[in-house]
Amino acid sequence: MDFLKSAVASAISKGPPFPYTFGDRVDVDTSIWNLLNGTKREDGSNCSIFSFDVTANKARLPMARNAVKKLRTLRHPGVIKVLDTVETETYIYIATERLVPLRWHIKRKSMSTETLKWGLCGVAQTIKFINDDASSVHGALRVGSIYTSESGEWRVGGFEVLSSMKDDEAIIYNYGSLVPDSGRYTPPELAKSGWDTIKKNPLTAVDAYNFGTLIFEVFNGDFVGADQAGQTKNIPPTMHSSYRRLVNSNPKARVSVGNFLEQGRRSGGFFNTPLIKLTDGVDNLGMKSEEEREEFLNDLDQLSDDFPEDYFKMKILPELLKSVEFGGGGPKVFGVVMKISKKLTDEEFEAKVTPAVVRLFSSPDRAIRVCLLDNLPLMIDRLPQKVVNDKIFPQMVTGFTDVAPVVREQTVKAVLTIISKLSERTINGELLKYLAKTSNDEQPGIRTNTTICLGKISKNLSNSTRSKVLIAAFTRSLRDPFVHARNAALMALAVTSDAFNEDDIANRILPSLCPSLIDKEKLIRDQANKTMDVYLQRIRKFASTMADTVLPPPSAAEASTAVPRMSTPQPSEAASWTGWAISSFTNKVSAAVGEISTNPNGTPNPARPSSAPLTTESRKAPSTASASALHRQAVISPPATSARTSTSSNAPDYFQDADAGDVEIDIDDAWGNMEEDNFFDAPSDASKAKAVGAANPFEDDGEPDFAGWLAAQAGKKTGGKPLPKGLAKSASANGRPAAPRSVSTGGVSGAGAKKAAATAVVKPKPVVAKKIDTAPKDAGEDDGWGDGW
């Protein structure tokens, strides 16, 4: 090999300039030529070089010169494309397009039956042109004279004895027998009577026979001799009849290659395949009528994955992309583009397909947009992140608000495909803005898919927005009337539990899950239980790590006085659910009242801010107030502590008035509308507004009448413990509520007297204990909700 290169280089240095660089030698069948790979020095493009050594093959020099002449003058797409030639006394070089011997593919059996048919059809068209249009005979047609180009197309070479039958001194008559391996391929009449017999038979007879042997060779790998002519082993059944007529021993009975081609191209013929029809129609795709284009597209759908890759990359793909972009090819053509693109390298894809995809995303055609979104998973890995984030996504977002539901739905689904290619800023900004719209879409399927999408991209959201966005989206979907939307929300909550902290779980998620436990659909109830278990396990695990209490340990003096009043009720005290509730409540009230006092030196208690002035309103203690109002009055003054932010419950926090702190409590949202038990009725919006806006924070409009309720309980249960002082409801002899007494006349009672003494340092007057009137009230005169207080 090195000797050959050095010899070639030496010959070039002594001969005319040849602007090509020689590369590796390519092994071929026995031939008068040596085939080498080469490159063009000017631009580095690939080529092939046929080299003939004149000194070593002087007897075959006329054949080499005939090949050069015919290759330069015979122009046809199926003939080897010549770039340049040079001839000296010692060598002949022919520079051509880059070629690979067909023999390589046949030996490896790398071509499918459809591809072999496609290649044979191309060769038949070339031979038909040589016979009919050029009035010539090839004379050496076989696998060794066929090559494949970089595009995969079959090229006809081997023009050493190609002759025009109009020439009486044609080279084929004298040199036909000198073609290497001619004995195997020579038609029987020539082998018997010599090459001059060509003149006595039809011009097409020799090439028809050789084309028949070529068919046998490409399907079986090799042709040994005339005995195999006519055998149909491995040849497609549809070709048997026509193939036998090609190799008929009688030259006058043989069908010409042109007629063979015509038979194959008929409807249902062996050459009437989608691949061959695509090849014929792709060059003028833009010029086809609507009916022809539809037929062409139908043929595209029938293509299998075993098409010739190189041909589709270099020939079909560019034409299809132009058709999709400018010629109205539509989604069908783009589907074939994606099928071909699977065979491209990343560099080839970026150079040939990516620019067209970016332009197509700006197309207003909805069918193209849906097709692009459907095929996005096939090409997303090959699209650079910058292209997706900066060029494709800005065009893609128009689909979120498109009037066609199918476009909106496919756009939502495509988010999962491109999420890995988007920047954090794009995800947490523009993307979430559009997903918020689709989560409220009129189409239930789009709402459901949005919920699923959010669940799957949760890890891509930033820490600052993840829990806020997901909780808002999922809890809203839990109330969706569409059953699958609710189910999607439950499943999304189950798989994203790690995205939420314990405070969000306890205060926002678990309360929202509870209604789903009694959903009308069993599917939802079952999934709600599974999701609830996930979060309950999380909360229980967290609660086991918490401290038992956040309250400071009491001093010895406080313990001796406070423990009897504040101790947890024992089981004997909680004989009924009312027992412990009322006992605990009165204990807290008493303890709270005991804390509101002045120091012996007359200075305000430090628990009350010294800056808070004692107004007339604050010094007044209404003689009638509800129990809950009294309790809030008792506990409002202690300052907020860190215990309020703890997850453990502190009694004052539960009852603190909304005006006293910065914690907003929405009663309606927390409790809902519980019509079954009026005791837990949430006040209406009007009553809430009145409670917030009133100057007197203890106004009892809308508050439950604890005294009336206690009286009713006492009437049912005789021998009960007496009520704590201060909770007895005063009543007149006729059963009507006693009129309140004014502070200015010195009339105060119960807890009000203690508060007045603690805040205004007024000497309390003797208080007459009041008794509870357990008699039922007159219907219609008192609603039992604390007016008497």
Side-chain angles (χ1 to χ4, degrees):
M1 182 61 197
D2 293 336
F3 172 77
L4 176 63
K5 285 185 178 181
S6 61
V8 168
S10 176
I12 292 175
S13 63
K14 298 177 182 179
F18 190 63
Y20 297 91
T21 301
F22 289 79
D24 298 331
R25 179 176 175 176
V26 179
D27 293 329
V28 295
D29 288 359
T30 304
S31 172
I32 68 172
W33 300 94
N34 291 318
L35 179 63
L36 301 95
N37 290 329
T39 55
K40 190 174 183 179
R41 294 195 189 117
E42 182 180 359
D43 55 9
S45 58
N46 293 330
C47 69
S48 290
I49 301 174
F50 288 90
S51 171
F52 179 79
D53 188 348
V54 175
T55 305
N57 294 283
K58 193 168 286 188
R60 292 173 173 171
L61 179 59
M63 298 169 61
R65 289 175 174 170
N66 183 72
V68 173
K69 177 182 177 182
K70 297 300 181 180
L71 284 173
R72 291 179 65 91
T73 58
L74 198 63
R75 298 293 182 178
H76 188 272
V79 174
I80 293 174
K81 181 181 179 182
V82 177
L83 304 177
D84 201 356
T85 62
V86 62
E87 181 178 352
T88 68
E89 295 180 354
T90 57
Y91 63 85
I92 298 175
Y93 296 140
I94 307 174
T96 68
E97 60 182 319
R98 175 61 65 89
L99 300 171
V100 174
L102 178 63
R103 176 73 69 186
W104 286 16
H105 302 287
I106 299 303
K107 284 183 177 180
R108 294 197 305 261
K109 297 182 179 180
S110 60
M111 292 183 173
S112 66
T113 299
E114 292 302 311
T115 302
L116 292 175
K117 285 183 179 181
W118 169 72
L120 287 171
C121 182
V123 173
Q125 289 175 321
T126 305
I127 297 301
K128 179 180 181 296
F129 168 79
I130 292 173
N131 292 161
D132 297 346
D133 297 341
S135 300
S136 300
V137 175
H138 187 283
L141 187 61
R142 64 198 67 176
V143 167
S145 61
I146 308 296
Y147 302 86
T148 60
S149 67
E150 285 187 301
S151 62
E153 295 171 279
W154 291 20
R155 301 283 195 246
V156 178
F159 286 178
E160 289 78 19
V161 293
L162 190 148
S163 304
S164 172
M165 292 297 99
K166 296 178 181 180
D167 186 1
D168 293 335
E169 300 296 329
I171 193 173
I172 194 171
Y173 303 133
N174 298 320
Y175 288 88
S177 59
L178 296 180
V179 175
D181 285 337
S182 63
R184 283 190 292 165
Y185 301 97
T186 302
E189 70 275 10
L190 299 185
K192 181 179 179 180
S193 304
W195 287 80
D196 287 340
T197 311
I198 296 176
K199 300 177 182 179
K200 301 177 183 180
N201 296 315
L203 180 149
T204 61
V206 174
D207 290 339
Y209 181 87
N210 287 150
F211 188 77
T213 61
L214 175 66
I215 292 174
F216 181 89
E217 201 168 11
V218 298
F219 285 109
N220 292 278
D222 200 5
F223 181 78
V224 177
D227 293 340
Q228 290 181 326
Q231 295 182 10
T232 57
K233 180 182 178 182
N234 296 328
I235 296 176
T238 55
M239 300 179 68
H240 287 177
S241 176
S242 298
Y243 158 70
R244 289 194 186 99
R245 294 180 64 186
L246 283 172
V247 294
N248 194 307
S249 59
N250 182 1
K252 296 182 179 179
R254 291 173 194 156
V255 64
S256 69
V257 175
N259 289 333
F260 178 84
L261 178 65
E262 185 180 350
Q263 292 173 12
R265 300 299 291 269
R266 292 173 182 171
S267 179
F270 45 82
F271 284 156
N272 188 21
T273 66
L275 179 58
I276 294 174
K277 292 169 69 175
L278 172 65
T279 305
D280 293 341
V282 71
D283 292 333
N284 56 353
L285 182 59
M287 304 298 293
K288 290 183 179 294
S289 64
E290 191 65 31
E291 294 77 12
E292 291 173 333
R293 182 184 291 122
E294 187 64 26
E295 182 181 358
F296 176 80
L297 297 180
N298 291 334
D299 292 336
L300 286 177
D301 289 340
Q302 299 175 27
L303 282 179
S304 59
D305 292 331
D306 58 1
F307 50 74
E309 299 177 14
D310 295 332
Y311 178 74
F312 273 73
K313 283 188 214 176
M314 302 189 65
K315 293 288 186 177
I316 301 295
L317 184 61
E319 293 296 328
L320 293 180
L321 285 173
K322 285 191 290 185
S323 174
V324 174
E325 197 169 353
F326 307 110
K332 285 186 178 180
V333 176
F334 190 79
V336 178
V337 169
M338 287 296 98
K339 186 183 292 186
I340 299 171
S341 298
K342 293 179 183 178
K343 310 293 184 179
L344 299 178
T345 64
D346 291 343
E347 293 76 13
E348 291 172 335
F349 187 92
E350 185 173 355
K352 297 179 180 180
V353 181
T354 299
V357 169
V358 173
R359 292 192 296 268
L360 286 173
F361 262 104
S362 62
S363 171
D365 189 341
R366 289 191 177 93
I368 288 293
R369 172 63 62 85
V370 172
C371 182
L372 287 169
L373 296 174
D374 286 341
N375 288 280
L376 202 54
L378 300 177
M379 52 184 172
I380 189 64
D381 292 335
R382 297 185 168 198
L383 295 173
Q385 181 174 1
K386 185 174 180 60
V387 171
V388 175
N389 191 78
D390 298 345
K391 296 181 180 179
I392 292 180
F393 182 75
Q395 300 292 341
M396 176 180 157
V397 296
T398 58
F400 287 110
T401 55
D402 196 273
V403 295
V406 64
V407 177
R408 300 199 302 273
E409 184 167 11
Q410 291 302 113
T411 305
V412 171
K413 291 180 180 179
V415 170
L416 300 179
T417 303
I418 68 167
I419 191 70
S420 61
K421 299 284 186 174
L422 299 180
S423 66
E424 183 176 349
R425 180 177 180 180
T426 301
I427 294 172
N428 295 282
E430 195 170 1
L431 177 60
L432 287 183
K433 178 181 69 175
Y434 284 106
L435 290 179
K437 293 181 179 179
T438 57
S439 66
N440 290 316
D441 197 275
E442 61 182 8
Q443 296 293 326
I446 296 177
R447 299 196 301 269
T448 303
N449 285 328
T450 302
T451 300
I452 295 172
C453 176
L454 285 170
K456 291 187 175 183
I457 69 171
S458 60
K459 296 187 181 299
N460 299 95
L461 304 180
S462 65
N463 295 331
S464 59
T465 62
R466 182 183 297 124
S467 61
K468 178 175 66 175
V469 170
L470 296 184
I471 291 176
F474 296 161
T475 54
R476 178 168 52 194
S477 294
L478 288 174
R479 303 189 298 270
D480 197 294
F482 187 52
V483 60
H484 297 291
R486 301 198 299 276
N487 191 50
L490 290 168
M491 290 191 291
L493 282 169
V495 299
T496 58
S497 59
D498 294 339
F500 313 115
N501 59 38
E502 286 74 13
D503 285 341
D504 287 336
I505 294 173
N507 296 317
R508 301 182 65 185
I509 297 177
L510 286 177
S512 299
L513 285 174
C514 288
S516 299
L517 295 171
I518 56 171
D519 195 275
K520 294 180 180 179
E521 299 291 338
K522 186 177 185 299
L523 172 70
I524 303 302
R525 296 194 299 271
D526 292 345
Q527 185 60 46
N529 277 283
K530 295 177 184 178
T531 306
M532 184 72 80
D533 289 342
V534 172
Y535 284 99
L536 285 177
Q537 291 176 10
R538 173 97 178 270
I539 287 296
R540 287 166 182 157
K541 182 178 180 180
F542 176 75
S544 66
T545 65
M546 297 173 63
D548 293 341
T549 181
V550 295
L551 298 177
S555 62
E558 292 173 344
S560 61
T561 58
V563 168
R565 302 283 295 181
M566 297 295 292
S567 60
T568 303
Q570 299 302 316
S572 60
E573 299 175 3
S576 68
W577 72 276
T578 58
W580 66 265
I582 299 303
S583 173
S584 176
F585 176 76
T586 54
N587 286 341
K588 292 174 183 175
V589 170
S590 300
V593 171
E595 294 173 7
I596 301 178
S597 61
T598 56
N599 291 331
N601 57 6
T603 61
N605 192 301
R608 176 186 178 89
S610 58
S611 61
L614 292 175
T615 62
T616 305
E617 294 289 341
S618 64
R619 287 196 299 268
K620 285 186 179 182
S623 59
T624 61
S626 66
S628 60
L630 283 175
H631 178 66
R632 287 198 298 271
Q633 177 186 3
V635 301
I636 193 171
S637 55
T641 64
S642 62
R644 294 187 61 179
T645 60
S646 172
T647 55
S648 62
S649 60
N650 195 4
D653 291 336
Y654 283 111
F655 294 95
Q656 183 155 357
D657 190 83
D659 294 337
D662 59 354
V663 180
E664 297 180 2
I665 302 176
D666 191 342
I667 300 299
D668 287 337
D669 290 341
W671 292 100
N673 185 14
M674 299 185 180
E675 298 179 354
E676 293 80 8
D677 191 349
N678 288 335
F679 179 72
F680 290 99
D681 272 351
S684 64
D685 292 340
S687 63
K688 287 195 295 182
K690 182 176 180 180
V692 173
N696 186 355
F698 304 109
E699 185 66 32
D700 58 350
D701 289 347
E703 289 291 334
D705 183 5
F706 282 85
W709 178 78
L710 291 173
Q713 291 297 321
K716 297 176 183 177
K717 179 178 179 182
T718 58
K721 293 184 180 181
L723 293 173
K725 183 177 179 180
L727 289 182
K729 182 177 180 182
S730 60
S732 61
N734 59 2
R736 295 182 180 277
R741 286 182 291 178
S742 174
V743 176
S744 61
T745 60
V748 293
S749 63
K754 292 185 179 182
K755 179 169 180 66
T759 57
V761 200
V762 178
K763 184 176 181 181
K765 292 187 179 182
V767 178
V768 179
K770 294 178 176 59
K771 296 181 180 180
I772 296 176
D773 185 1
T774 61
K777 300 180 181 180
D778 295 337
E781 294 186 6
D782 193 343
D783 59 1
W785 286 101
D787 290 342
W789 290 73

